[in-house]
Amino acid sequence: MAALPGYRHRRAAPRGRQSVAGAGPGAALVSTASAGTSGQARCSRWRTRTGAPWRDVPERHGPWDRVCDLFRCWQRDGTWAGIVTRLQAEADAKGLITWDVNVDSTVCRAHQHAAGASKKGDLRKEPPGGIAVEPADHGIGRSRGGLTTKVHLAVEQGQKPLSVLITAGQRGDSPQFEPVLDAIGVPRLGRGRPRRRPDRVRADKAYDSRRNRACLRRRGIKATIPVPADRVRNRQKLGSRGGRPPKFDRTDYRGRHMKHHRDPRRPAGPA
């Protein structure tokens, strides 16, 4: 097996180097330079935050293709997911996670090179890999804006993401409400099961449904979800048969504003 750029086989590595298990079939890969790998990891994080092309990464971190190879290697063997999970566990142990969760979604335009992903996926050089199962539509759908991808997110009150779900752009928000909550799982540093149940969930009118509210009641989670105006009118027309309206705290709903706007003077959390 040919070694990836920046790595070599265990038998040729000096002592004290950390292995990256599962990076390739048949052999464990070992970093050849911890300092170089650290710089490439920081460069991968910079590229992910800015959305810049791989060819535009700073030259001080080395060739862009080696940075890309390291990113894909860590993505396929679960290293990135492990880093996020560890940071979440440490943040929760320090009390830095506020378990008032906000659920929402956003739509992203797919790159023009993704136009044939759903039809010609068998022609790619290597399978997607990674620790998550690749959806059949590759998270790409057609909506008013063309080829789009929708990102469903559950964020705690300190702007730290707890779960992310990728679907095609035309998928509705409400059907993904339960899957996003089910994906929450912050492990504990010591013994004990991961925490999966928030204290409260805030969401906009798109998530108002009997199924979603029943899910929250079943799990003992408080809900702050407004009711659309048309449903209010329909219930009022039924009179006493319409039942009681769901409880809605307008003051608490204002806290959802923090998910969209973040104070730049506040330091970023560890997760």
Side-chain angles (χ1 to χ4, degrees):
M1 185 192 88
L4 294 176
Y7 293 90
R8 59 185 175 187
H9 292 289
R10 180 182 296 277
R11 60 177 178 272
R15 296 181 180 179
R17 299 298 172 86
Q18 185 177 4
S19 62
V20 182
L29 301 179
V30 180
S31 174
T32 58
S34 57
T37 302
S38 177
Q40 292 175 2
R42 289 194 298 268
C43 185
S44 298
R45 184 173 179 271
W46 171 86
R47 185 263 174 187
T48 304
R49 295 187 62 181
T50 60
W54 284 111
R55 294 179 181 271
D56 293 343
V57 299
E59 297 182 356
R60 63 179 180 273
H61 296 300
W64 67 267
D65 55 345
R66 295 196 177 186
V67 179
C68 180
D69 287 340
L70 178 67
F71 177 85
R72 283 192 54 80
C73 177
W74 285 13
Q75 181 266 334
R76 295 172 70 88
D77 67 6
T79 299
W80 291 118
I83 292 175
V84 173
T85 301
R86 178 68 182 186
L87 292 177
Q88 288 179 342
E90 293 182 357
D92 189 35
K94 297 178 181 179
L96 300 179
I97 293 182
T98 304
W99 285 92
D100 291 343
V101 176
N102 304 282
V103 178
D104 206 349
S105 66
T106 183
V107 177
C108 308
R109 282 291 302 273
H111 195 273
Q112 59 183 354
H113 294 168
S118 59
K119 299 180 181 179
K120 302 179 181 179
D122 55 338
L123 299 180
R124 53 177 170 252
K125 297 182 179 179
E126 59 178 346
I131 59 176
V133 179
E134 181 78 6
D137 57 3
H138 306 285
I140 300 175
R142 188 172 296 277
S143 59
R144 293 182 178 180
L147 294 179
T148 55
T149 295
K150 181 171 287 189
V151 182
H152 306 266
L153 200 65
V155 183
E156 58 93 33
Q157 199 64 11
Q159 297 88 37
K160 303 180 186 68
L162 298 179
S163 66
V164 180
L165 183 64
I166 306 296
T167 64
Q170 78 276 10
R171 302 297 181 186
D173 293 344
S174 184
Q176 310 303 326
F177 183 76
E178 291 188 45
V180 169
L181 292 182
D182 293 339
I184 297 177
V186 178
R188 307 181 190 275
L189 295 180
R191 295 183 178 180
R193 297 179 180 179
R195 178 165 182 177
R196 301 182 178 276
R197 186 175 65 87
D199 297 330
R200 179 181 293 273
V201 172
R202 302 185 185 95
D204 57 22
K205 298 179 180 179
Y207 295 92
D208 175 69
S209 69
R210 295 182 178 178
R211 180 176 180 179
N212 292 341
R213 293 185 183 274
C215 172
L216 296 178
R217 286 194 299 268
R218 185 172 60 253
R219 301 178 59 178
I221 303 174
K222 299 178 181 180
T224 304
I225 304 176
V227 181
D230 58 340
R231 297 184 182 178
V232 174
R233 291 193 300 266
N234 294 337
R235 187 181 63 254
Q236 292 176 349
K237 290 179 180 179
L238 296 176
S240 60
R241 294 179 300 170
R244 292 184 178 181
K247 185 179 180 181
F248 176 66
D249 190 346
R250 294 182 178 273
T251 303
D252 181 76
Y253 189 70
R254 296 172 185 172
R256 185 174 173 272
H257 181 77
M258 296 181 61
K259 181 180 66 64
H260 298 281
H261 301 280
R262 187 177 188 280
D263 188 355
R265 295 169 298 179
R266 183 184 180 204

